[in-house]
Amino acid sequence: MAGVDAVVALLHAWAARRTATGRDGPDRTVDAALDAGLERVHRIVEERLRGEQALAAVEEAAAAGAAEPSPQAGRSLEQALKDAADGDTAFARALKDAVAAALAEYRGFAVASGDGIAIAGDVIVHVEGAGSVAALRTGAVTTGNPPPLGPQPTP
């Protein structure tokens, strides 16, 4: 089943949004549309995978404020979704349609948690001056001082 990683991300977003507070404002119509799409994905998955530990682990991580589920929980849920879809074409079709609709609602929106910053759409980064930094995260990120340039003295 293609796109199971998107399903895991949407389920994580569903759980994170369920625990978020203070969403009553000018964007509540947008929030309602996003929530409806996420709720549909969750309902379809929950009906088929009720009691699946991997689903609970993804939801618990989001509720605890994790930016994403652990790799193990994500992989476990992806496998459970693949297995369920392989054995039930009606489930696979319903989930595919729900994911497509939810992702259509998410176009133009980004989600971040903790100290994260999320940007949707194209980004142009311009950096000037000493001490300025720009970065694109494509995987694990660490910070710290790089080693000095040039040959290093041997101890």
Side-chain angles (χ1 to χ4, degrees), residues 123-134:
V123 176
I124 297 172
V125 178
H126 177 80
V127 177
E128 287 185 25
S132 298
V133 175

Side-chain angles (χ1 to χ4, degrees), residues 77-144:
L77 184 52
E78 286 177 10
Q79 189 60 53
L81 288 163
K82 286 178 186 177
D83 292 346
D86 288 346
D88 185 344
T89 57
F91 166 73
R93 189 176 331 104
L95 184 57
K96 180 181 176 184
D97 292 347
V99 167
L103 290 175
E105 290 296 333
Y106 259 103
R107 284 192 173 80
F109 294 92
V111 178
S113 64
D115 291 334
I117 299 171
I119 301 169
D122 296 336
V123 176
I124 297 172
V125 178
H126 177 80
V127 177
E128 287 185 25
S132 298
V133 175
L136 171 65
R137 179 178 178 205
T138 58
V141 175
T142 59
T143 59

Side-chain angles (χ1 to χ4, degrees), residues 11-61:
L11 292 169
H12 185 272
W14 173 85
R17 288 179 66 81
R18 303 255 318 163
T19 60
T21 59
R23 291 185 322 191
D24 196 23
D27 291 333
R28 68 181 168 265
T29 301
V30 172
D31 283 346
L34 293 173
D35 287 342
L38 293 173
E39 184 65 37
R40 181 176 170 209
V41 171
H42 180 264
R43 186 181 68 250
I44 290 167
V45 171
E46 219 284 322
E47 286 174 3
R48 185 66 168 83
L49 299 182
R50 183 171 285 123
E52 177 68 44
Q53 180 55 38
L55 177 59
V58 168
E59 292 173 356
E60 289 167 6

